[in-house]
Amino acid sequence: MTSKSMLLSISLAVAAALASGAVSARTEIQNKGSDTLVNVAQSWAEQYGKINPEVAVAVSGGGSGTGIAALINGTVDIANASRKMKDKEIKEAEAKGHHPVENVVGYDALAIFVNKSFPLNSISIPELAKIYGRDGGATKWSDLGITIPGCKDEIVVVSRQNNSGTYAYFQEAVLGEKGKFRQGTLDMHGSKDVADLVEKTPCAIGYSGLAYATEHLKTLCISPEKGKACVKPTEDTAFDGTYPIARPLMMYTDGKPKADVKKYMDWIMSDVGQCILAKEGYAPVRKISCK
Amino acid sequence: MANSTTAPGAATAAAFDRRDFDWYVDKAVQAIVFVCGISAIIFVLGIFVFVTKEGLGFIVNHMNFHEFFLTPYWSPSDADDPEYGILALMAGTASVTGLAMLVAIPFSLGAAIYIAEFASGKTRETLKVLVELLAAIPSVVWGFIGLVIMNPLIIKWFDVPVGLCVLNAGIILGLMAAPIMTSIAEDALKAVPDRYREAAEAMGATRWQVTYKVVLPAAKNGLLGGVLLGVGRGFGETMAVLMATGHAVNIPNSIFDSVRALTATIAAELGETVVGGEHYQALFTIGILLFLVTFVVNLSADLIVRGIRKG
């Protein structure tokens, strides 16, 4: 053996050892989906990586629909979703031999934002449907008997891009199963953009996760019917279901979670995991005290 | 030479045979340049095949021509009842491009006439450099100007609730299209032979009469070509219109309405669709449409410009 080929075989052996070592030492969990959950999912992945360096959780966003599609195709271990899987999607998954299991990991109150100059503190679900629904009937604030200082009456309707889970949830919860959004909504590409636009525009109304509320915005109290008592969006009212447009945040796994995925899901549901979720502005699944 | 002992005829042939290093370099460079030359064709064909392949599934299986072109409802992510109507998106693109041309044509024609016919020496050179500099501003920067500067100005001046609208995007797009239109219009004016001007001046025409009555009619094909290229630019522009239009699916009633462009829809939604899904394919179908329209516009512009060069 020449010295050159010996060197080569040694380096090959070292590389092989390194590679096999890396494979056995690190397992990877693929986690994809909802943009509402993506910040929380990233915090979870980072914190979990500190406790269990042998497990790497790869998190990416892309929207609830993207995560669910990836689960159907079998390319992720966990799909994040801010809406429930549709029957059609579950059937597609079953057809491909995957059995999605729903795990509720937290709750989010869908907050309705208006500009600081908005005169009222509450709005009802039917009024929201009039504003957002196709042919809903309200295109001017005066249609609802509201006058906003600094606004000439036209309602500036702020919405989200159509593959957002928040958009899909709002459509179902406010406009109903068959409801459609009206034409001419300003479709923002993120919850932050909704908050920014509403903050600057007196005529505007928008919706986003409660985590995006700021003191520069008015967050409305929501009543299920006109004239009924309204409920403020808080972590508590989202948790106990009294807030009318609160939604569960889900992580779908393929079958009951097993091995590393199960450990990860258990840790997410533990007090530590739930406190991370609460810190990001969402409601945990049970009463816990976080410091 | 190695074969100096052979017959004189062969020696002459060998003397003319220049297959030395330079000869090979020459051949190699020719081959490389040839590949580069036809690469544009390969790329255009490749892109067209790719876009068509991705979008064809939608056209064949899901597309309802009436719904696609004649309804304004675009809600492709609705799982039970997706709607794929691009009428409002086409209206958005058309209104923004139309307004942009209204802004850009007077500006660019005026600039081209001044640069080609009236300015001279240093002024002309400086102006030409500045126009080219204007063309080099990235479109996202233009979009930023629309979002941050134009938006509050439009709200203040016209007393409208939101300044992200046809007017905003039209002005931005007009300013973006103006430099390329200026350059082409100036070329067209330059292509008019000087003897036309001399003849007109000899007849006692003033500078403006020469321009208006002689040079402009002679250059009209080139000017039209420049305008068409500007239309193509406006039609295909994405980032600036995404930021300045307000991104609302809407058939505009006035220039203060928010709209959404075809290009912006692809940019905003493609990244979050399921690859190969119906929505994904529908976006590629819009891509095919954009490709065909810009192709036809650019081709006709090119043919018109060539027409005057020959004639």
Side-chain angles (χ1 to χ4, degrees), chain A residues 35 62-63 65-66 69 73 86 88 134 152 154 156 161-164 167 171 177-180 183-189 197 201 203, chain B residues 72-83 88 158-159 161-162 164 245-251 258 260 268-269 272-274 279:
Chain A
D35 277 331
T66 310
N73 293 329
K86 294 175 178 138
K88 191 178 147 203
R134 186 176 296 173
K152 267 189 17 191
E154 195 196 332
V156 175
Q161 90 275 10
N162 56 34
N163 29 26
S164 135
Y167 169 98
Q171 185 175 15
E177 278 291 323
K178 297 268 168 230
K180 301 268 189 198
Q183 293 285 95
T185 56
L186 293 139
D187 301 342
M188 298 290 115
H189 210 67
L197 183 65
T201 316
C203 298
Chain B
Y73 303 115
W74 177 259
S75 59
S77 62
D78 204 321
D80 310 317
D81 179 22
E83 293 172 302
F158 300 101
D159 193 22
V162 175
L164 301 173
T245 51
H247 210 53
V249 182
N250 192 22
I251 295 177
S258 295
R260 193 201 268 205
E269 294 179 3
E272 298 187 4
T273 54
V274 182
H279 185 185

Side-chain angles (χ1 to χ4, degrees), chain B residues 83-94:
Chain B
E83 293 172 302
Y84 298 99
I86 62 165
L87 183 66
L89 307 179
M90 290 194 294
T93 292

Side-chain angles (χ1 to χ4, degrees), chain A residues 6-27:
Chain A
M6 201 152 87
L7 200 67
L8 188 73
S9 56
I10 288 171
S11 56
L12 273 178
V14 169
L18 276 177
S20 66
V23 166
S24 67
R26 277 173 84 84
T27 41

